[in-house]
Amino acid sequence: MLRIIANYWSGRHRCPSIDELMIKTGRSKKGIYRVLEVLAKEEYIEWSPTVPQVMLVIDPYERDAPIRWAQPTRTQTQYFND
């Protein structure tokens, strides 16, 4: 859901509505609120349940995500002159 919010923010210059998040994720409104509370608690976004339509993205990338684009080792790379 963090990626959806960040993409809306960067592409459309606005935060997605709760209804848009429900459509994009397939979650219920209660599930959306739970995820938003966790993202706010972990300081990925600024959000308050009293004003649910206002979100501010602080950190658009997961902090503990593994790096998937690591360089392959020499044995994994095939060259034309090998």
Side-chain angles (χ1 to χ4, degrees), residues 27-62:
R27 293 178 183 260
S28 66
K29 186 177 278 192
K30 186 176 180 179
I32 297 291
Y33 275 63
R34 236 181 293 142
V35 172
L36 291 175
E37 286 173 358
V38 170
L39 289 174
K41 181 180 176 184
E42 293 180 1
E43 298 180 350
Y44 284 105
I45 64 171
E46 284 185 15
W47 178 78
S48 173
T50 57
V51 188
Q53 298 302 327
V54 178
M55 295 174 223
L56 177 64
V57 178
I58 298 170
D59 190 3
Y61 301 103
E62 295 179 40

Side-chain angles (χ1 to χ4, degrees), residues 1 16 19 21-22 26 35 42 44 47 50 59-60 62 67-68 75 82:
M1 187 170 323
D19 292 333
L21 287 173
M22 289 172 57
V35 172
E42 293 180 1
Y44 284 105
W47 178 78
T50 57
D59 190 3
E62 295 179 40
I67 299 174
R68 297 174 193 250
T75 58
D82 284 349

